[in-house]
Amino acid sequence: MENMEFNPVQLDALKEVGNIGAGNAATALSQIINKKIDMTVPAVNIVPFDTVFSRIGGEEIVVGVIVRVLGDTPGNILFIFEKEVALDFIEILLGQREEEISEMGNSVLCEIGNIISGSFMNAIARFTNLLIVPSVPAVSCDMLGAILSTTFIESGQFDEFVLDIETTFLESGSNISGHFYYIPMPGSLDKILGALGVK
């Protein structure tokens, strides 16, 4: 069951934080490419870890931007989008279409991941007064199941629940969507909700 043990007040608080993070990310991306980008948060859910596999399809090839989270709420951030969406991002920022993700394209995706993760984590930190420090991002293009397995499951004991913030970028009439996952170490999500006053 989705949102197990979490009530509407908690989800509303997280969605508000997500909307602020999305606004900050859109502003930063707009400045980089000198074009207006809007970013919306259509949905915020707290889902069981296993649901992340079935939500996108464990065997589908996706691009994942992975950021370690240090500080008071350790865990990992995973920003996932389909490969075509990743190529759309690269085209928007570089002004040319790539058939495969080049080294320059990889750098673009890292920078996007850096901006998005930083914007969301800064919004959470500002609301909670918790110390949250994102690490340098890395990009992986693989099956979703493989990305999750190698990045998260093998690196430690993670919480049963994942914060899933669905995001949509709007640029020149085109929509680019992805999923922003915060996969916390045990206790980190409770600490955020407690600091928001909605635990």
Side-chain angles (χ1 to χ4, degrees):
M1 180 191 298
E2 294 189 5
N3 305 332
M4 194 184 306
E5 299 177 8
F6 296 91
N7 62 47
V9 174
Q10 293 170 327
L11 291 173
D12 283 347
L14 290 170
K15 183 162 187 176
E16 181 60 26
V17 171
N19 277 317
I20 290 171
N24 293 345
T27 299
L29 289 172
S30 296
Q31 290 171 346
I32 285 179
I33 65 173
N34 204 24
K35 288 183 183 177
K36 181 172 173 54
I37 288 184
D38 290 317
M39 186 172 169
T40 65
V41 177
V44 173
N45 291 296
I46 298 173
V47 297
F49 185 82
D50 292 343
T51 302
V52 180
F53 280 89
S54 58
R55 180 68 64 81
I56 304 176
E59 296 185 359
E60 182 177 346
I61 299 294
V62 298
V63 173
V65 181
I66 303 141
V67 180
R68 306 278 182 201
V69 179
L70 310 171
D72 293 334
T73 59
N76 290 289
I77 290 169
L78 176 60
F79 193 69
I80 286 283
F81 30 79
E82 295 173 357
K83 187 177 177 183
E84 280 301 308
V85 171
L87 293 172
D88 288 342
F89 268 128
I90 293 167
E91 183 176 10
I92 289 170
L93 270 80
L94 293 184
Q96 59 188 39
R97 187 74 182 179
E98 295 186 348
E99 295 304 316
E100 294 295 330
I101 299 172
S102 65
E103 189 172 332
M104 180 65 75
N106 196 75
S107 297
V108 165
L109 295 175
C110 274
E111 184 57 27
I112 289 171
N114 201 31
I115 289 168
I116 293 171
S117 60
S119 296
F120 279 109
M121 290 295 102
N122 286 340
I124 291 173
R126 194 162 64 248
F127 269 83
T128 60
N129 290 320
L130 295 170
L131 176 65
I132 303 174
V133 184
S135 73
V136 176
V139 174
S140 179
C141 183
D142 205 338
M143 290 187 298
L144 175 62
I147 292 175
L148 287 167
S149 298
T150 56
T151 307
F152 301 126
I153 297 173
E154 293 176 3
S155 63
Q157 177 62 48
F158 285 85
D159 216 344
E160 180 185 355
F161 291 100
V162 173
L163 176 62
D164 171 16
I165 302 176
E166 187 181 344
T167 54
T168 301
F169 298 84
L170 309 172
E171 189 272 332
S172 297
S174 62
N175 292 3
I176 299 176
S177 62
H179 279 269
F180 175 94
Y181 297 105
Y182 168 54
I183 302 179
M185 293 290 281
S188 290
L189 195 53
D190 283 340
K191 191 177 290 186
I192 289 172
L193 290 170
L196 287 170
V198 292
K199 186 174 176 182

